[in-house]
Amino acid sequence: EVQLVETGGGLIQPGGSLRLSCAASGFTVSSNYMSWVRQAPGKGLEWVSVIYSGGSTYYADSVKGRFTISRDNSKNTLYLQMNSLRAEDTAVYYCARDGGDYPSAFDYWGQGTLVTVSS
Amino acid sequence: QSVLTQPPSVSGAPGQRVTISCTGSSSNIGAGYDVHWYQQLPGTAPKLLIYGNSNRPSGVPDRFSGSKSGTSASLAITGLQAEDEADYYCQSYDSSLSGSRGCGVFGTGTKVTVL
């Protein structure tokens, strides 16, 4: 059974850093594209970042230069390192398998982890 | 940044048919990228509802259907049920953003209310 479990969210001051983790089971992270998607309170979904199976990484303009997506193949885990956090980064962050069973669609999602950026 | 536009809300009585539009441009839907649809029940993660414009993953009722034409796509729900009350999002890719396939873009989201 495919499962994604995010951890690492919490309350952080503006300018601070946080690393989110997404532990996967039931499939191999490194063989798939994996994405992070976020949702600000009461708002819609926003794609944040993707890591391709080959290792290439891409980011939304809103986080480029501040966030880094990576993975640990030995732990079958996806990460999102978030630096220089701003109030507008406050959101629930979801990891999602990207194009697994269904090309280019996010077919499995984690339960999400809340990041609150506030002083 | 939402480059796909959806109506904020649609509503219908039980048993009725509702449709949700998703309007893009020549750099996303019009460029030939597939459109996918997600259902998000309150307090839960999104769930894939339609993939590849018009296909349903296993377990999704055939009351849900999708279509795509030109720079737009649509989701239809027939035989509306109380359990369909949720937020719905379209998703595609945009070639104006970086990446070999473009980068993911979501619609603005539509709240479906069952009267």
Side-chain angles (χ1 to χ4, degrees):
Chain A
E1 180 194 5
V2 171
Q3 241 189 338
L4 295 166
V5 178
E6 301 99 335
T7 55
L11 175 63
I12 187 77
Q13 291 189 340
S17 298
L18 209 56
R19 188 178 83 157
L20 306 182
S21 301
C22 170
S25 58
F27 73 100
T28 303
V29 164
S30 61
S31 299
N32 287 268
Y33 289 13
M34 296 293 297
S35 280
W36 287 96
V37 175
R38 69 183 181 182
Q39 185 170 36
K43 302 296 185 183
L45 301 171
E46 179 188 16
W47 175 83
V48 172
S49 180
V50 62
I51 182 167
Y52 290 175
S53 50
S56 297
T57 59
Y58 300 95
Y59 302 90
D61 286 346
S62 56
V63 307
K64 199 173 296 181
R66 300 187 299 122
F67 289 13
T68 302
I69 190 172
S70 65
R71 66 191 182 208
D72 185 329
N73 298 345
S74 66
K75 295 182 179 179
N76 208 33
T77 298
L78 177 74
Y79 300 101
L80 185 67
Q81 177 67 44
M82 305 185 296
N83 299 329
S84 302
L85 282 162
R86 306 167 180 167
E88 54 264 36
D89 296 318
T90 294
V92 173
Y93 284 74
Y94 297 100
C95 63
R97 192 173 75 169
D98 185 342
D101 290 341
Y102 309 111
S104 78
F106 302 119
D107 60 351
Y108 286 95
W109 297 65
Q111 84 288 353
T113 187
L114 176 63
V115 173
T116 303
V117 184
S118 174
S119 54
Chain B
Q1 61 277 20
S2 292
V3 298
L4 305 179
T5 302
Q6 299 177 230
S9 63
V10 299
S11 61
Q16 285 191 329
R17 179 179 187 268
V18 297
T19 62
I20 301 169
S21 60
C22 173
T23 303
S25 67
S26 58
S27 65
N28 41 69
I29 298 175
Y33 290 108
D34 281 343
V35 177
H36 316 295
W37 290 89
Y38 302 87
Q39 178 192 59
Q40 187 176 33
L41 297 170
T44 69
K47 168 193 167 186
L48 179 63
L49 198 64
I50 296 288
Y51 70 95
N53 307 315
S54 59
N55 303 290
R56 286 184 307 276
S58 58
V60 173
D62 60 7
R63 302 184 292 103
F64 296 93
S65 62
S67 63
K68 172 188 161 183
S69 178
T71 58
S72 296
S74 290
L75 173 72
I77 310 174
T78 56
L80 196 62
Q81 298 183 5
E83 67 211 50
D84 299 332
E85 191 159 287
D87 294 324
Y88 294 81
Y89 295 89
C90 60
Q91 178 252 317
S92 187
Y93 289 86
D94 196 292
S95 61
S96 65
L97 304 172
S98 58
S100 62
R101 61 162 187 192
C103 289
V105 288
F106 283 95
T108 48
T110 298
K111 180 172 181 57
V112 170
T113 300
V114 181
L115 302 172

